Amino acid sequence: MIPKLELHLHLEGAAPPAFIRGLAAEKGVDLSAIFDPSGAYTYTDFPDFLRVYEAATSVIRGPEDYARLLAVVLETAAAEGAVYLETFVSPEFCGGADRAAWRDHVAAMAEVAARLAPEIESRAIITPIRHFGPERARKTALCAAETASEDRSGWVAGFGLGGAETYGEPGDFAWSFDCAREAGLGLTCHAGEWRGPESVRAAWRDLGVSRIGHGVRAVEDPALVRDLAEAGVTLEVCPGSNVALGLYPSVAAHPIARLADAGVRVTVSTDDPPFFHTTLRREYDALATAFGWTEDDFRRMNLWAAEAAFCDEATRARIKEKLGCST
Ligand SMILES: [Zn+2]
């Protein structure tokens, strides 16, 4: 199996349906309406997807649930061939940005990450929610900065804006990103998914990120594509997610190959895989079918992911070795 890196995965969004059903049963919550007869998540359109997502994640409560969730997510990804994974984690859902509660959540998850590291290395990207506004993002940034300095395992490694891209402008969150940068965290921002190339440029320019979550609509502006390629900005591309949410009609129509051909550093992730009925392996298979990508193409892409990962240099070297690259 090709060794894979995954840079863009929402922890709650990666929760397998069986795990959520188990938690719901423990808590006496009836969630039967969000599953189809085969047991998969089911929804009709984007607003319904958000409703189902919210219902599923409402039963994940407290450090112990999050530790169990991280374990199942890491084991699932390792079975897909992932050797390194970064996951978005938000203090908004882990303790409601209360710093003491957040610290307990991080400690429980970092312990699981350390235990499973021989199988799959992982890091956390701390995530403010864009549509909750800049003020709440500041609290999240302070949580991130504090745990980054306290967490000796180095599991808290990044900071990245998620949530509704249509809310506000990236620059509204500059204070939070400055705070995270000063704490030594790697920076990324969702952009170029629900808005066009100007949103990608604004995130890159106004937040100083080295990676863009999605970023695929940069393809609509040739000058931006050139600039991203030249600067070596890495895109965390999630083709199955984009197709499931209707951005593109099929993987064959997805711009990832055009971006790669133009020299942009694209990587492949799954975003919220069970909600989009995808897995890492399915993404790779779909790309191989649509574009004829070979093992060499995937290795080059994973090398870009390793170079863009928010981990320490010793971990990066270990990951590159697993990819079969000595440097
Ligand atoms: Zn995402």
Side-chain angles (χ1 to χ4, degrees):
M1 205 174 2
I2 300 173
K4 306 171 184 73
L5 277 78
E6 167 133 51
L7 299 182
H8 190 115
L9 182 76
H10 299 269
L11 184 55
E12 297 88 349
F19 177 81
I20 292 298
R21 272 195 296 277
L23 281 188
E26 281 173 27
K27 296 178 165 77
V29 178
D30 179 13
L31 284 183
S32 52
I34 68 169
F35 300 109
D36 70 13
S38 77
Y41 295 118
T42 182
Y43 52 91
T44 51
D45 52 17
F46 188 60
D48 197 39
F49 159 75
L50 293 178
R51 187 187 61 78
V52 168
Y53 190 98
E54 203 174 297
T57 56
S58 70
V59 294
I60 314 167
R61 300 172 199 154
E64 180 56 30
D65 284 358
Y66 269 90
R68 287 162 68 191
L69 172 61
L70 180 63
V72 75
V73 167
L74 290 178
E75 281 159 2
T76 304
E80 294 284 313
V83 294
Y84 178 85
L85 180 153
E86 289 181 6
T87 184
F88 295 110
V89 183
S90 181
E92 293 280 5
F93 307 127
C94 298
D98 170 80
R99 287 204 226 167
W102 164 244
R103 213 177 288 133
D104 291 344
H105 282 75
V106 169
M109 288 187 278
E111 202 180 300
V112 169
R115 176 163 55 79
L116 293 177
E119 207 182 329
I120 175 171
E121 301 259 8
S122 66
R123 295 292 186 276
I125 301 171
I126 311 312
T127 310
I129 311 298
R130 185 157 166 168
H131 53 273
F132 289 177
E135 273 313 307
R136 275 166 73 172
R138 285 176 189 237
K139 283 190 188 160
T140 294
L142 290 170
C143 282
E146 196 171 85
T147 38
S149 64
E150 286 171 1
D151 167 33
R152 284 196 202 87
S153 71
W155 187 64
V156 171
F159 187 75
L161 190 59
E165 188 188 352
T166 46
Y167 176 97
E169 294 302 325
D172 301 341
F173 299 87
W175 188 95
S176 298
F177 276 75
D178 287 344
C179 173
R181 185 184 297 104
E182 279 167 29
L185 295 169
L187 304 178
T188 181
C189 177
H190 280 63
E193 181 190 19
W194 298 110
R195 290 173 65 185
E198 74 291 345
S199 169
V200 176
R201 195 178 281 284
W204 181 29
R205 180 192 58 213
D206 298 340
L207 301 177
V209 296
S210 61
R211 297 180 359 201
I212 301 282
H214 298 288
V216 287
R217 291 190 56 197
V219 78
E220 296 165 25
D221 177 351
L224 177 61
V225 170
R226 264 195 313 275
D227 291 346
L228 293 173
E230 257 174 48
V233 173
T234 300
L235 304 188
E236 307 154 5
V237 183
C238 308
S241 160
N242 295 157
V243 172
L245 293 179
L247 262 68
Y248 303 101
S250 65
V251 173
H254 193 280
I256 186 169
R258 275 177 284 154
L259 289 161
D261 289 346
V264 178
R265 292 180 165 231
V266 296
T267 60
V268 169
S269 292
T270 57
D271 213 5
D272 306 287
F275 288 91
F276 302 136
H277 310 121
T278 189
T279 68
L280 261 184
R281 255 189 298 197
R282 275 185 218 164
E283 296 289 332
Y284 279 57
D285 289 348
L287 291 166
T289 303
F291 304 117
W293 283 5
T294 64
E295 257 185 61
D296 280 347
D297 293 316
F298 288 117
R299 187 178 297 111
R300 182 185 58 160
M301 206 181 62
N302 278 304
L303 186 60
W304 283 337
E307 285 170 357
F310 293 150
C311 60
D312 57 278
E313 294 310 316
T315 304
R316 195 185 322 280
R318 272 201 307 280
I319 299 300
K320 283 188 179 181
E321 220 175 279
K322 288 185 183 173
L323 297 178
C325 309
S326 51
T327 52

